[in-house]
Amino acid sequence: MKVLVLGGGGREHAIIKSLKKNNKIKDIYAAPGNGGINRDAQCIPIKAIDITGVIKFTEENKIDYVVVAPDDPLAIGMVDALEERGIRCFGPKKAAARIESSKIFSKNLMKKYNIPTACYETFSDYEKAKSYLESDSVKFPIVIKADGLALGKGVIIAENFEQAKEAIGSMMKEKKFGDSGANIVIEEFLTGPEVTVLSFTDGNVIVPMISSMDHKRIFDGNKGLNTGGMGVIAPNPYYNEEIADVCQKTIFQPTIAAMREEGCPFKGCLYFGLILTENGPKVIEYNSRFGDPETQAVLPLLETDLLTIMESVTDEKLENIDIQWKKSFSACIVMASGGYPESYKTGLQLTGLNDQGNCTNKDVTIYHAGTEYKNEMFYTSGGRVLGITAIAENKEKTLEIAYKTAKTIDFEGVHYRKDIGKY
């Protein structure tokens, strides 16, 4: 069997490493992949959003199955195009992917179907948004979100009116996020522990994965700019069976039913970003795919074969699969380039990795997010460079192993948080 995974980051590396455990897979490809992924798959110089290029490669190389991992190709209809050519794949169609690609669509969906979320208003006009922020109905801090995809950076928490005004101006007038910020959502600021729950769904059945806790801010103490994610632990210590049951009944299953009712059933991995408020769990956001770096912490705990699960999703037979998880803890520490998430250098040599881009500790896996391999050495090629994932019997031991490994890897300006798992 030949499998193609679209994407080139740490999430895709984790998916590929999990898929490789299936002996049915003869060849596995990544488009475009990266230097570390190249040790586990054949990297193809095709962009994940190149629908024509992907279809051509898939047909010419007789690919049996395609995993569409990133948000961009899902949002533009990669799955639709593949299925039209009879190519089996994993991921939601364009209409279903709107649950992530349009914050306004997802907020309106939750409102229509009584799925708990923050109160909100939507705007397409800067002056109207500004007037709303000046009104008595707004209490600070307030959350401002670009409607479209913005590389995980289109959410700003404004502490006062001036910050809020600057935020809507950067989105709507300065076009900081391009067309993604032409329309915005302004919503109430919720407080409580945050939880990520990835889930497998075939459009009818939904099976939540192990919960996780992401750390978005760049600096220790949850300070500094938002990033794509600086580290994860799984399972989330705040998420118990009682809360999971509430979420299944009030959020997970109702979301799947709502998408069916809207004529765009969701098949693939649906990401629930939740917050546990004093009034119960609420949805902060949906993503239409595996989270990054949550995937690097969650998939290593999966005992059931990933390809089998994915194919059951494609065939709408998820109810026939008994998904099992390791009774262990995992932690992923993200090693980033100095300056990330703003400007940073690339092409910096990494030390501490073996020729396979890994380390010798069997309890640790190195996932490559932004590397290239040349002259028999690894070099940085992105903001988030590596994900150091450890597995152990408890949270403390897991973090100890992960941080001990991180200390053995280095490159100029390397930055990683020292408090993952403490917030």
Side-chain angles (χ1 to χ4, degrees), residues 317-376:
K317 296 180 179 179
L318 185 58
E319 63 182 353
N320 299 331
I321 305 297
D322 181 22
I323 300 177
Q324 296 293 318
W325 300 89
K326 296 176 183 176
K327 298 188 184 303
S328 303
F329 288 77
S330 69
C332 177
I333 310 300
V334 172
M335 304 189 77
S337 298
Y340 173 80
E342 297 186 299
S343 61
Y344 51 85
K345 294 180 181 179
T346 58
L348 305 172
Q349 183 178 315
L350 284 87
T351 60
L353 300 175
N354 60 27
D355 185 60
Q356 295 302 306
N358 216 325
C359 65
T360 56
N361 191 331
K362 64 180 178 60
D363 295 321
V364 176
T365 303
I366 310 295
Y367 295 114
H368 288 240
T371 66
E372 61 177 340
Y373 188 77
K374 60 184 180 181
N375 303 321
E376 300 184 348

Side-chain angles (χ1 to χ4, degrees), residues 36-297:
I37 289 176
N38 195 40
R39 290 297 179 270
D40 291 294
Q42 298 180 53
C43 291
I44 311 301
I46 300 173
K47 293 182 179 179
I49 58 173
D50 183 356
I51 293 178
T52 301
V54 168
I55 290 177
K56 181 181 179 183
F57 176 83
T58 301
E59 292 180 337
E60 289 181 351
N61 291 274
K62 297 181 171 55
I63 301 298
D64 299 292
Y65 198 72
V66 180
V67 178
V68 186
D71 48 10
D72 287 347
L74 292 170
I76 63 174
M78 179 66 76
V79 169
D80 307 61
L82 289 167
E83 289 188 353
E84 286 171 7
R85 303 300 286 263
I87 300 166
R88 286 167 57 76
C89 54
F90 179 87
K93 290 185 176 181
K94 180 179 181 178
R98 285 180 299 164
I99 203 166
E100 176 178 12
S101 64
S102 173
K103 295 290 190 297
I104 292 176
F105 172 83
S106 65
K107 294 294 289 189
N108 289 343
L109 182 86
M110 287 184 273
K111 183 176 183 179
K112 180 177 180 180
Y113 292 93
N114 298 312
I115 298 167
T117 189
C119 296
Y120 72 100
E121 297 290 342
T122 64
F123 298 92
S124 57
D125 179 82
Y126 169 80
E127 291 299 333
K128 289 182 179 179
K130 179 172 169 287
S131 295
Y132 173 72
L133 289 171
E134 293 173 316
S135 69
D136 294 336
S137 59
V138 171
K139 294 182 180 180
F140 292 96
I142 199 85
V143 182
I144 300 167
K145 298 179 177 180
D147 176 47
L149 300 176
L151 299 174
K153 302 169 187 175
V155 178
I156 296 174
I157 299 172
E159 300 290 342
N160 51 53
F161 172 73
E162 288 303 320
Q163 289 182 10
K165 179 183 174 183
E166 181 181 349
I168 65 171
S170 68
M171 291 182 186
M172 306 183 82
K173 297 177 76 174
E174 298 169 18
K175 304 294 184 183
K176 181 178 180 180
F177 303 116
D179 292 339
S180 292
N183 301 301
I184 64 170
V185 174
I186 301 177
E187 66 179 35
E188 68 171 324
F189 178 77
L190 300 176
T191 59
E194 294 188 19
V195 181
T196 298
V197 179
L198 307 176
S199 61
F200 294 110
T201 175
D202 62 4
N204 299 296
V205 175
I206 182 165
V207 181
M209 303 184 210
I210 294 288
S211 65
S212 60
M213 182 166 68
D214 189 13
H215 300 66
K216 290 289 186 187
R217 300 283 186 145
I218 186 66
F219 297 125
D220 288 7
N222 285 335
K223 296 178 180 179
L225 295 173
N226 265 336
T227 71
M230 290 300 295
V232 180
I233 62 168
N236 189 306
Y238 296 100
Y239 192 76
N240 57 37
E241 290 186 12
E242 181 181 353
I243 294 173
D245 186 58
V246 171
C247 289
Q248 181 73 12
K249 293 176 180 176
T250 65
I251 295 174
F252 303 159
Q253 197 61 52
T255 298
I256 297 305
M259 293 296 282
R260 282 201 313 271
E261 187 68 22
E262 291 297 304
C264 50
F266 191 102
K267 293 171 59 174
C269 174
L270 183 54
Y271 168 123
F272 294 89
L274 309 173
I275 186 164
L276 308 181
T277 76
E278 59 182 11
N279 296 315
K282 297 186 178 185
V283 178
I284 299 175
E285 65 173 349
Y286 296 110
N287 287 344
S288 61
R289 36 70 191 186
F290 285 96
D292 187 346
E294 292 95 340
T295 304
Q296 293 90 295

Side-chain angles (χ1 to χ4, degrees), residues 365-395:
T365 303
I366 310 295
Y367 295 114
H368 288 240
T371 66
E372 61 177 340
Y373 188 77
K374 60 184 180 181
N375 303 321
E376 300 184 348
M377 291 296 299
F378 288 97
Y379 296 84
T380 67
S381 63
R384 289 186 295 173
V385 179
L386 299 174
I388 315 299
T389 297
I391 297 178
E393 64 273 13
N394 59 57
K395 186 181 78 170

